[in-house]
Amino acid sequence: MTTRVWDYLPEYELEKADLLTAVETVFESGQLILGGSVGGFEEEFAAYHGVAHCAGVDNGTNAVTLGLQALGVGPGDEVITVSNTAAPTVVAIDNAGATPVFVDVRQEDFLMDTDQVVAAITPRTRALVPVHLFGQCVDMAPLERLAAEHGLVILEDCAQAHGARHHGRLAGSMGNAAAFSFYPTKVLGAYGDGGAVLTDDAEVDRSLRQLRYYGMDKVYYVVRTPGHNSRLDALQAEILRTKLRRLDTYIAGRQAAARRYAEGLGDLTGPGGLTLPAVADGNEHVYYVYVVRHPQRDQIMERLAQRYDIQLNISYPWPVHTMSGFAKLGYAAGSLPVTERLATEIFSLPMYPSLPGDVQDKVIGALREVMADL
């Protein structure tokens, strides 16, 4: 049987009764667009984070786009972020009409190198978008200082960091606003697409609710500013309400799987060996993905697939600044050396809270055998 990095079916079997009850709740409610399911999830998700407001949207990409627009970011503005991220982060900035500006990442934990941000700030800089990558948070203190000094706004990209903490603060509670994705693979995943934006600013929340509904304050009312059709689906909202109650359990399961990997692979580390995930100072890692690193990544993945039918992923093989769709930004090869080097060496091992122990042991054993042959 093929081993993959993610599988929702074990979780579905465990939670089927609750999930089907959630579906019935929506179908029997008489409200299939927004309504009580969406409002209830928004209240509960905001409360989990200790934040005043949550606006549900249709996906994580639009959470970033609408979040930036609600914060006043648009054409002519520059937004500082990283290229070592999923392309939707940068697509969303572009969709808001702003220009992405990249800084490199740290090679030890793959997170934004905050020391490089000050040099990237120009008179056009309007926002910072730190990406809490792979399940842990960017060091926020330097960004908060720079934002205060230069009059910038911070939108946290939390698509990969539900429940992660940085010096005790939850991802999503540290910026002016925070964007989340509920794509099925996420730490808190829906059974389809979904997203949300958190903020403590009532005016930003009002703008978000207007932007997600064509730019209207009320149904079929007056368009105040051209907006989007970007509402969180009621069915996904009710499923997310059910799963939110298990979020801490999901995180514990991921952390247990990470410890199992560390125990099974720890002796393969060292010069020329496998690099396991590093947890940055003050972080509580939730392991959205379990990303390891090796200079012979491609050979390892090929042998795992051919010999053991283990199909792994790379997050991410092509830095965004190297993609043809963003050639207009003018980043030459070598401009972000750490990001570019990581793209040739990193790969993800299977990771999800219901990952069976025997499957994980198969991956550990196969990886050890492949490494011994290198």
Side-chain angles (χ1 to χ4, degrees), residues 4 163 181 253 330:
R4 297 182 173 86
S181 167

Side-chain angles (χ1 to χ4, degrees), residues 2 9 25 61 150 160 172 213 223 260 310-311 340 363:
T2 301
L9 291 174
T25 297
T61 307
H150 296 271
Q160 303 184 17
Y213 205 96
V223 172
R260 192 175 189 132
I310 297 174
Q311 305 290 333
E340 292 169 33
V363 173

Side-chain angles (χ1 to χ4, degrees), residues 239-273:
I239 289 172
L240 287 165
R241 293 181 78 180
T242 296
K243 296 187 70 178
L244 179 59
R245 296 193 287 270
R246 295 186 171 96
L247 178 54
D248 292 341
T249 300
Y250 296 152
I251 291 170
R254 290 174 177 273
Q255 291 171 335
R259 289 192 295 271
R260 192 175 189 132
Y261 277 133
E263 292 166 2
L265 300 171
D267 63 322
L268 301 182
T269 61

Side-chain angles (χ1 to χ4, degrees), residues 17 19 28 43 91 125 176 189 214 219 322 374:
L19 293 168
E28 294 174 356
E43 291 177 8
V91 169
T125 305
N176 299 93
Y214 313 111
V219 176
T322 68
L374 292 177

Side-chain angles (χ1 to χ4, degrees), residues 69-368:
Q69 291 179 324
L71 289 168
V73 178
D77 294 330
E78 292 178 348
V79 176
I80 298 174
T81 190
V82 293
S83 179
N84 182 42
T85 183
T89 302
V90 185
V91 169
I93 294 169
D94 187 76
N95 287 346
T99 300
V101 174
F102 298 119
V103 296
D104 214 341
V105 296
R106 307 189 301 196
Q107 64 177 353
E108 61 270 21
D109 55 26
F110 318 148
L111 297 168
M112 174 185 275
D113 186 343
T114 56
D115 291 340
Q116 296 189 20
V117 173
V118 66
I121 294 174
T122 74
R124 293 177 57 195
T125 305
R126 179 73 181 100
L128 308 177
V129 177
V131 179
H132 300 319
L133 195 71
F134 300 155
Q136 66 173 327
C137 297
V138 173
D139 183 7
M140 292 296 292
L143 300 183
E144 291 171 300
R145 288 195 296 270
L146 288 172
E149 291 170 7
H150 296 271
L152 310 177
V153 294
I154 297 176
L155 175 72
E156 298 174 71
D157 183 341
C158 303
Q160 303 184 17
H162 309 73
R165 293 180 182 271
H166 178 61
H167 293 293
R169 297 193 293 172
L170 277 166
S173 67
M174 297 178 278
N176 299 93
F180 287 82
S181 167
F182 304 120
Y183 188 78
T185 62
K186 303 301 184 183
V187 179
L188 179 62
Y191 277 69
D193 256 324
V197 184
L198 294 178
T199 183
D200 275 322
D201 189 317
E203 180 58 28
V204 171
D205 181 65
R206 186 201 64 79
S207 179
L208 284 163
R209 294 175 185 279
Q210 189 179 80
L211 286 166
R212 76 176 180 185
Y213 205 96
Y214 313 111
M216 298 177 179
D217 290 323
K218 299 178 182 179
V219 176
Y220 299 124
Y221 197 59
V222 176
V223 172
R224 301 296 184 185
T225 182
H228 310 260
N229 180 7
S230 297
R231 303 169 297 234
L232 176 62
D233 180 73
L235 185 61
Q236 300 303 335
E238 193 64 40
I239 289 172
L240 287 165
R241 293 181 78 180
T242 296
K243 296 187 70 178
L244 179 59
R245 296 193 287 270
R246 295 186 171 96
L247 178 54
D248 292 341
T249 300
Y250 296 152
I251 291 170
R254 290 174 177 273
Q255 291 171 335
R259 289 192 295 271
R260 192 175 189 132
Y261 277 133
E263 292 166 2
L265 300 171
D267 63 322
L268 301 182
T269 61
L274 197 66
T275 301
L276 302 183
V279 181
D281 181 55
N283 275 353
E284 181 178 333
H285 205 312
V286 297
Y287 297 99
Y288 164 57
V289 284
Y290 192 88
V291 177
V292 299
R293 180 181 176 190
H294 195 279
Q296 294 174 269
R297 184 267 314 278
D298 293 344
Q299 296 96 311
I300 292 172
M301 290 184 63
E302 181 179 355
R303 292 178 186 179
L304 287 171
Q306 291 179 349
R307 297 181 188 177
Y308 305 96
D309 199 15
I310 297 174
Q311 305 290 333
L312 302 182
N313 285 352
I314 303 171
S315 301
Y316 300 93
W318 302 285
V320 180
H321 73 283
T322 68
M323 296 179 181
S324 59
F326 290 102
K328 63 184 179 181
L329 298 177
Y331 286 86
S335 57
L336 300 173
V338 177
T339 294
E340 292 169 33
R341 184 167 63 253
L342 290 175
T344 68
E345 297 182 355
I346 57 177
F347 59 108
S348 303
L349 304 185
M351 173 57 73
Y352 46 97
S354 54
L355 177 62
D358 60 338
V359 173
Q360 194 171 9
D361 289 342
K362 172 188 172 182
V363 173
I364 292 170
L367 185 53
R368 293 185 67 87

Side-chain angles (χ1 to χ4, degrees), residues 41-52 54 170 198:
F41 173 71
E42 289 172 337
E43 291 177 8
E44 291 157 15
F45 196 63
Y48 179 91
H49 291 86
V51 174
C54 171
L170 277 166
L198 294 178

